[in-house]
Amino acid sequence: MIRSLVCVLACAALSASADPDLQTPEFDTTPDGLPIIDGRAFASWDEYTSSDLFRANGLRCGTRAFDDAFAESPTDCGSRTNPADQYDPSVALYRIPVVVHVIRRANGSGSVTEALVQSQIDILNEDFLAMAGTLGADGNDARIEFYLATQDPAGNPTTGITYSSNDNWFNDRGSYWTSLNWDPSRYLNIYTNSASGALGYVPWLPHQASPGSSEDRVVILWSAFGRNAPVGSPYNQGRTATHEVGHYLGLYHTFDGGCGSTSCYLSGDRICDTNSDSNPQYNCPLSSATCGTPDPIRNYMNYTTDLCMREFTPEQARRMRCTLENWRVDLADRVDACAPDLTNDGSLNTADFFQFLALYGAGDPQADFAPGNGINTADFFAFLAAYQAGC
């Protein structure tokens, strides 16, 4: 009952406290899945995202900050942040199963291929794990990993991808999540459709409403999903999903709350190691300094272009991990520091080796010791290296 009341109040506050200069435009799509905004039709999503209308309405992200006075937040990552050592990434790896619900128009337009879906999962891992040799390499490893679910809620094998054809749902209408969701307390549900004219959004931060309820979701514009997505530069490298999953795991925009007025853990974006920031930045303005210090234009939680973004800060990583421990407690599998101890008997021995071979042969996500591109020989050699290094 309390959480339901919180949800009602929070959702009401969302629309009331968003930037008053930002208006929600009337939105529709053509039969080809292209945007019509306030009656104006665009020839491509690229033309739309390059328009003044896109920026004027703040549609880099449709997630709006709202007043935490309505939020139920008794923990370390609600309306305040506690960057305690217990949330440090060195403690454990968290692995999150993902289901991607691809919603297309009845004529098939707006679809997303399985290859693009997998590339988006790869990008999430590159960014959240700061993987060497990728665009996310310069960031900080949050030790949060994502994988397409291999079992559906009934225990049946799955690709972790569903497809639906429905014009109303494609236009982000009709409470499609009530029909499509897989238990949101156990799966990260990502939906691709027209995202109401934004590149993406979440309905609320987890401490501000009802994590695990049917409407708990991440929504991404279909044409901005995956690597080299069809929306075109500068939003085609999958960073919209990185940004929105950051919200899903409890992060504010870097500019939410402006320059802040009290402790940096209680105001602004509730993070002290992101520089204060009073407005969203677009493009990649290296000299921007809205609060007297350089703005965090490289941060995934700003509004800059995909290739400008490159990091979560260490305290943002701790806040996301805190969210998993306090608000999304059933979502992730926790892999403690001794990952090769697959039999969980406190020691490394041949039983762990044979257990790995069994998992590897079955394609089980526990055998994914080298994140990205599924289960392959790289995981075998990564397990051997971890096994030989010991615990």
Side-chain angles (χ1 to χ4, degrees), residues 72-343:
E72 179 190 5
S73 48
T75 63
D76 290 348
C77 41
S79 57
R80 66 185 180 93
T81 297
N82 176 9
D85 287 345
Q86 71 193 76
Y87 305 126
D88 189 82
S90 65
V91 175
L93 171 72
Y94 284 109
R95 305 188 73 247
I96 298 177
V98 181
V99 56
V100 177
H101 304 285
V102 176
I103 302 174
R104 53 200 173 190
R105 289 188 65 100
N107 64 8
S109 63
S111 193
V112 178
T113 66
E114 290 190 6
L116 270 177
V117 171
Q118 182 58 60
S119 75
Q120 183 63 76
I121 301 300
D122 293 342
I123 291 166
L124 289 175
N125 287 325
E126 292 165 10
D127 294 346
F128 281 79
L129 298 172
M131 293 176 64
T134 73
L135 293 176
D138 291 338
N140 294 282
D141 184 358
R143 299 199 73 205
I144 299 173
E145 181 186 348
F146 304 86
Y147 65 95
L148 285 171
T150 57
Q151 288 188 330
D152 69 14
N156 300 313
T158 179
T159 62
I161 307 170
T162 74
Y163 285 90
S164 302
S165 299
N166 184 300
D167 288 349
N168 201 40
W169 291 359
F170 180 77
N171 282 336
D172 204 31
R173 301 174 186 141
S175 300
Y176 49 83
W177 52 87
T178 61
S179 300
L180 299 179
N181 82 84
W182 291 9
D183 184 357
S185 69
R186 297 176 47 225
Y187 298 88
L188 163 53
N189 284 255
I190 298 178
Y191 299 83
T192 68
N193 60 15
S194 63
S196 291
L199 291 184
Y201 71 88
V202 299
W204 20 253
L205 304 193
H207 70 280
Q208 294 169 326
S210 301
S213 60
S214 63
E215 64 267 38
D216 189 8
R217 67 198 187 279
V218 171
V219 182
I220 305 294
L221 175 66
W222 68 274
S223 60
F225 198 73
R227 199 183 313 275
N228 299 319
V231 71
S233 179
Y235 302 121
N236 65 340
Q237 294 302 312
R239 260 49 190 282
T240 294
T242 299
H243 177 103
E244 300 304 339
V245 172
H247 285 315
Y248 173 85
L249 293 176
L251 296 184
Y252 293 80
H253 290 126
T254 57
F255 50 82
D256 282 343
C259 296
S261 57
T262 56
S263 164
C264 46
Y265 293 129
L266 294 170
S267 66
D269 66 350
R270 277 72 167 175
I271 298 292
C272 288
D273 64 358
T274 58
N275 283 353
S276 296
D277 186 6
S278 66
N279 297 299
Q281 281 78 50
Y282 290 85
N283 300 318
C284 195
L286 298 177
S287 62
S288 182
T290 57
C291 294
T293 55
D295 289 328
I297 62 167
R298 301 292 189 183
N299 198 282
Y300 293 128
M301 302 312 296
N302 208 321
Y303 274 11
T304 48
T305 59
D306 280 16
L307 291 180
C308 187
M309 295 177 169
R310 64 175 58 160
E311 69 170 358
F312 293 115
T313 67
E315 288 185 356
Q316 284 178 317
R318 291 190 180 200
R319 182 177 171 91
M320 289 189 288
R321 295 171 62 84
C322 173
T323 295
L324 287 172
E325 293 186 26
N326 290 282
W327 295 98
R328 299 196 179 279
V329 296
D330 296 321
L331 179 66
D333 299 320
R334 176 176 169 136
V335 182
D336 288 313
C338 190
D341 182 16
L342 295 172
T343 57

Side-chain angles (χ1 to χ4, degrees), residues 14-49:
L14 187 153
S15 59
S17 63
D19 187 333
D21 294 329
L22 300 180
Q23 304 298 320
T24 302
E26 292 185 8
F27 174 77
D28 207 340
T29 58
T30 69
D32 293 329
L34 299 175
I36 304 173
I37 312 295
D38 285 343
R40 176 183 171 187
F42 289 84
S44 68
W45 282 96
D46 180 44
E47 179 187 349
Y48 166 57
T49 60

